[in-house]
Amino acid sequence: ATPFLLPHQVDFSRFNPKVMLFDGHEPAISLQAALDARRKNIPIVLDAGSVHKGTRELAPLADYLVASEKFAREFTGKTDLGEALRSLAQKAAVAVITLGEAGLVWASPQAEGRLDVERQRRRAEARRWFFPRQAGPPRSSSLPEARLGTYRDRRYRSVCQ
């Protein structure tokens, strides 16, 4: 096994990140970097797949806690997913629990929601069918193509809802 990096082995002073992403697999260096990020008001994202030393130490520092379903249940001790989500949301500004092909659930102090992967897949397929040469609905214009695009846009929205 490769030994963990120690804080003195990496010099972060040259970097000025806008956000820091951690997974907890380098606990000694991650904790030090997260504490430094916290002092500099740099948002911290924790990608927590499983409960281990690194994720336990970093979870209280995370602004955005993105957790697997397994992590959420084990870390919070809650078997109910909604309770686990609310518990994680008390620890971070935004908590997300990924559910594999079922999508994800998320919560913040202001709101909570669900992202359904199957619905997003259908929307993406409809977007490709209605707008084959564009990434999204056409821009507003007086050209006949834009008026057709407006019709397509309305039809696209009705299909996706």
Side-chain angles (χ1 to χ4, degrees), residues 19-34:
V19 66
M20 295 283 287
L21 170 66
F22 299 96
D23 61 11
H25 290 292
E26 287 285 344
I29 196 165
S30 295
L31 182 59
Q32 187 61 43

Side-chain angles (χ1 to χ4, degrees), residues 5 23 28 49 52 59 66-67 104 108 113-114 120 131 149 154-155 159:
L5 289 171
D23 61 11
H52 52 78
V66 181
L104 59 85
S108 71
R114 178 180 193 93
Q120 296 303 315
F131 312 110
R154 284 194 308 268
R155 181 72 184 122
V159 167

